[in-house]
């Protein structure tokens, strides 16, 4: 049997440390995260030195151009650290590591890092794009790395794990921690809200139902709206929207919402007293319609590749103290406008927006029973081709 591997490679500035990885995206299965495994090639000049490896989660929560007078808006969390050379006596290797070691020779040594189960997903917060002359949306207005959560593997030469390495003997390669949509749907989201009026009889009832709970990026969201007007007020228009919720866990008040899809309609309106209306509204949250909005959360990027709106963050623990990083959620919000004197009536339903599993991959961890699903809890080759190696200079 023949296996074809794509290998990512990066060297230190002096060329004496080289890292090889089979992939740069590592999947969070909720119950566990895929191990980060690869191979490091060490030059003969470093055979009498120690080589250490670390997984660093870099959390940037402020603009780089605002860092003045020693102020720093970035925290680096070391999620895994170990000595790679001299290697331990016994080491369980994967099939890819065995083939790399066979191909690269005796100076190649395997490594495996395991991330903690509560490690945050890779998320980027979109920056503003503005022209300095006429203030049209044309070019980047902010410089430096955008806010977000980033991961990279750090290999260096030193005497201990806490040494400050020299840049010439340091190699860093960016990776991502991602999640995919669960195969099982949760309960169908549905809510009913009512509003009565102090000086008039009857009440206004709004029922909102989604056709399912888990949606894929680019998929239309069907919002079933049922309005029963048993009051003497008149419903003048309906507004439906998808809101992206971003919770920067580092701050006490670091929560905000951004509308990423909206429809405002008067079709079927006005809804007079004693009448009702049932209709389906379709919403599609896409990044292409939100490229000019500051603060929209995006999936983590490697280099300048295309990305999308950030996926919903599924958490293994419901305890807020176990969560850090940036947590993303989505909700459909339907609002009825009753005029200046009648006010408004609003209903809200959370849902999950994620990417599907790639067709070439399957979940490595068996899913639990539906009752324990994190979605239900979300209610509020033998040959090695050297030509396939890609040198990557991004962090």
């Amino acid at each position: 049997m023949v296996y074809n591997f794509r290998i990512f490679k990066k060297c230190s500035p002096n060329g004496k440390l080289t890292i090889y990885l089979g992939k740069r995206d590592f999947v969070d299965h909720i119950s566990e995260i895929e191990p980060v495994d690869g191979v490091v090639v060490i030059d003969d000049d470093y055979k009498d030195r120690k080589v250490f490896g670390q997984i660093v989660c870099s959390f940037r929560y402020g603009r780089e151009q605002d860092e003045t007078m020693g102020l720093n808006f970035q925290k680096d969390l070391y999620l895994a650290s170990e000595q790679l050379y001299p290697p331990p006596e016994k080491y369980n290797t994967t099939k890819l590591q065995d083939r790399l070691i066979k191909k690269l020779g005796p100076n190649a040594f395997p490594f495996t890092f395991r991330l903690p189960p509560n490690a945050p997903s890779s998320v980027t917060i979109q920056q503003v794009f503005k022209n300095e002359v006429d203030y049209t949306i044309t070019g980047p207005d902010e410089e430096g790395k955008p806010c977000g959560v980033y991961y990279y593997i750090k290999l260096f030469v030193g005497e201990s794990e806490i040494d400050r390495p020299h840049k010439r003997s340091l190699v860093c390669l960016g990776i991502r921690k991602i999640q995919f949509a669960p195969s099982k749907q949760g309960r169908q989201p549905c809510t009913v809200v009512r509003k009565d009026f102090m000086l008039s009889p009857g009440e206004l009832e709004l029922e909102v139902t989604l056709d399912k709970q888990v949606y894929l990026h680019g998929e239309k969201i069907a919002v079933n709206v049922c309005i029963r007007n048993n009051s003497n007020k008149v419903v003048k228009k309906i507004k439906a929207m998808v809101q992206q919720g971003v919770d920067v866990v580092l701050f006490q008040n670091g929560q905000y919402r951004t509308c990423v899809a909206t429809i405002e309609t008067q079709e079927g309106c006005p809804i007079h007293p004693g009448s009702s209306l049932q209709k389906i509204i379709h919403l599609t949250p896409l990044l292409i319609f939100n490229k000019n909005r500051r603060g929209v959360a995006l999936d983590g990027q490697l280099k300048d590749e295309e990305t999308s709106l950030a996926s919903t963050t599924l958490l293994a623990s419901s305890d807020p103290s176990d969560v850090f990083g940036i947590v993303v959620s989505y909700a459909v919000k339907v609002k009825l406008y009753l005029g200046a004197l009648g006010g408004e009536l609003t209903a809200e339903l959370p849902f999950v927006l994620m990417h599907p599993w790639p067709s070439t991959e399957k979940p490595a961890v068996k899913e639990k029973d539906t009752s324990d699903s994190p979605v239900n809890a979300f209610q509020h080759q033998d040959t090695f081709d050297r030509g396939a190696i890609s040198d990557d200079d991004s962090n």
Side-chain angles (χ1 to χ4, degrees):
M1 182 179 294
V2 176
Y3 297 90
N4 291 320
F5 298 109
R6 184 187 179 190
I7 305 301
F8 297 92
K9 166 190 173 185
K10 190 173 181 183
C11 298
S12 61
N14 61 10
K16 296 185 178 182
L17 282 182
T18 307
I19 185 174
Y20 293 83
L21 284 182
K23 58 182 179 180
R24 297 176 69 184
D25 289 339
F26 298 90
V27 182
D28 180 1
H29 298 279
I30 309 299
S31 59
E32 67 178 23
I33 304 173
E34 286 183 341
V36 181
D37 48 31
V39 166
V40 57
V41 176
I42 303 173
D43 191 88
D44 289 331
D45 292 345
Y46 283 163
K47 283 299 185 71
D48 58 344
R49 306 285 297 276
K50 293 181 180 179
V51 178
F52 297 91
Q54 296 170 337
I55 298 290
V56 183
C57 175
S58 182
F59 185 14
R60 172 162 288 281
Y61 53 91
R63 301 190 306 173
E64 195 170 349
Q65 60 264 39
D66 293 338
E67 295 181 342
T68 58
M69 300 178 66
L71 197 62
N72 190 2
F73 296 120
Q74 178 174 333
K75 289 188 179 295
D76 289 339
L77 308 174
Y78 293 84
L79 303 184
S81 180
E82 65 178 62
Q83 180 176 314
L84 306 184
Y85 181 85
E89 295 181 2
K90 294 183 179 180
Y91 208 104
N92 295 325
T93 57
T94 64
K95 190 176 295 186
L96 174 61
Q97 288 174 325
D98 290 339
R99 280 148 183 78
L100 282 172
I101 293 171
K102 183 178 179 181
K103 186 71 179 181
L104 298 172
N107 287 359
F109 301 93
F111 62 83
T112 300
F113 298 106
R114 297 192 178 275
L115 297 175
N118 60 341
S121 295
S122 299
V123 178
T124 302
I125 303 298
Q126 183 168 257
Q127 300 185 101
V128 158
F129 291 81
K130 183 175 66 177
N131 188 303
E132 295 181 357
V133 179
D134 56 6
Y135 294 97
T136 55
I137 311 299
T138 56
D141 180 47
E142 297 182 2
E143 298 178 355
K145 203 168 190 177
C147 298
V149 176
Y150 306 89
Y151 285 88
Y152 60 90
I153 300 178
K154 175 182 177 182
L155 304 184
F156 63 94
V157 175
E159 294 302 320
S160 68
E161 297 178 358
I162 60 175
D163 275 0
R164 185 174 181 177
H166 198 284
K167 289 184 178 180
R168 66 173 179 265
S169 58
L170 170 68
V171 55
C172 294
L173 180 62
I175 59 174
R176 290 188 300 187
K177 175 188 165 294
I178 58 177
Q179 292 180 324
F180 290 121
S183 58
K184 295 181 180 180
Q185 288 281 346
R187 299 171 184 169
Q188 184 179 18
C190 179
T191 186
V192 179
V193 294
R194 299 177 179 88
K195 182 175 183 178
D196 54 8
F197 304 90
M198 185 177 296
L199 302 178
S200 58
E203 63 181 12
L204 178 65
E205 181 179 286
L206 170 61
E207 180 180 348
V208 181
T209 307
L210 303 182
D211 53 339
K212 56 183 179 179
Q213 190 180 37
V214 180
Y215 293 90
L216 306 180
H217 287 281
E219 193 174 3
K220 284 186 177 180
I221 301 171
V223 185
N224 193 325
V225 179
C226 184
I227 303 168
R228 304 177 186 91
N229 191 359
N230 298 318
S231 68
N232 61 359
K233 303 294 181 180
V234 177
V235 179
K236 296 188 175 182
K237 65 178 179 179
I238 306 168
K239 185 177 182 179
M241 66 192 84
V242 173
Q243 291 188 329
Q244 181 193 72
V246 177
D247 184 1
V248 184
V249 182
L250 189 66
F251 304 111
Q252 186 174 0
N253 298 317
Q255 301 89 12
Y256 64 91
R257 285 189 170 191
T258 306
C259 182
V260 293
T262 181
I263 291 179
E264 193 170 303
T265 179
Q266 293 182 331
E267 184 181 348
C269 298
I271 305 173
H272 294 284
S275 60
S276 61
L277 173 69
Q278 183 167 357
K279 65 179 304 178
I280 297 177
I281 301 174
H282 291 95
L283 296 166
T284 309
L286 292 171
L287 176 57
I288 192 172
F289 303 128
N290 296 277
K291 285 195 172 182
N292 303 334
R293 297 190 179 183
R294 179 197 293 268
V296 174
L298 313 177
D299 278 334
Q301 295 172 273
L302 295 173
K303 284 193 170 181
D304 298 324
E305 64 180 15
E306 290 293 324
T307 186
S308 64
L309 293 173
S311 298
T312 300
T313 305
L314 299 181
L315 302 173
S317 173
S318 58
D319 187 358
S321 62
D322 293 339
V323 180
F324 67 99
I326 297 177
V327 178
V328 179
S329 60
Y330 289 90
V332 167
K333 191 174 184 178
V334 179
K335 185 181 291 187
L336 306 182
Y337 293 89
L338 311 178
L341 299 178
E344 302 170 351
L345 178 60
T346 303
E348 189 173 318
L349 280 176
F351 67 93
V352 175
L353 180 66
M354 303 188 78
H355 289 287
W357 276 88
S359 57
T360 56
E361 295 186 38
K362 293 182 180 180
V365 179
K366 293 183 179 179
E367 294 193 41
K368 299 178 181 179
D369 185 69
T370 308
S371 58
D372 297 328
S373 170
V375 178
N376 275 339
F378 184 83
Q379 297 295 331
H380 195 100
Q381 308 167 6
D382 288 338
T383 61
F384 172 79
D385 181 10
R386 182 171 288 275
I389 295 181
S390 64
D391 289 292
D392 198 297
D393 297 327
S394 65
N395 290 337

